[in-house]
Amino acid sequence: MKQRIYISLPISADPIKAREKADLIKAKLSREGYDVVSPFDVYAGKKPKYEDYICYDLRAMLDCDAILFCEGWEKSCGCNIEHDVAMRFKAYGRKEFKIMYE
């Protein structure tokens, strides 16, 4: 069974560049045998607010086996939220959950 990995990357500053980067990373990881989930794959409802994106992205991340934090994640509020949840999920939930960095 393929491992499922979530991509965490800054989006708000430049959504077009972020999507391009997410697509490139998704293609690369897919070739390496991962089932990849990009935040751009996650449906957050009609007319979502920022909070909706975060909530749905966290749910998608928690359904994965791993998360990849892309360069610049430290400067992104959303990525920091994902990082906090991932660290706690690994520590208190699924010890086998992998946290990776670009």
Side-chain angles (χ1 to χ4, degrees):
M1 183 173 196
K2 286 185 178 183
Q3 280 205 327
R4 191 172 188 150
I5 188 167
Y6 180 84
I7 301 170
S8 177
L9 74 165
I11 295 173
S12 298
D14 192 340
I16 294 171
K17 273 191 176 179
R19 180 166 208 128
E20 290 169 356
K21 182 171 183 164
D23 289 346
L24 288 172
I25 292 170
K26 185 174 181 175
K28 179 184 182 278
L29 291 173
S30 293
R31 285 191 302 273
E32 292 176 10
Y34 288 98
D35 180 15
V36 185
V37 178
S38 159
F40 295 101
D41 299 332
V42 178
Y43 178 71
K46 287 185 176 183
K47 298 183 184 179
K49 294 182 269 182
Y50 181 79
E51 297 84 10
D52 298 321
Y53 287 114
I54 294 295
C55 289
Y56 282 88
D57 288 346
L58 288 173
R59 178 70 251 169
M61 177 193 79
L62 295 174
D63 286 336
C64 292
D65 303 298
I67 185 168
L68 172 67
F69 288 96
C70 296
E71 187 176 322
W73 73 267
E74 312 91 345
K75 298 173 187 156
S76 163
C77 179
C79 292
N80 271 279
I81 292 169
E82 291 168 347
H83 190 264
D84 289 348
V85 172
M87 294 296 284
R88 282 166 177 69
F89 187 55
K90 181 173 179 64
Y92 302 109
R94 290 199 346 234
K95 304 256 186 240
E96 70 280 0
F97 186 77
K98 292 180 188 172
I99 299 173
M100 305 178 327
Y101 302 90
E102 185 179 46

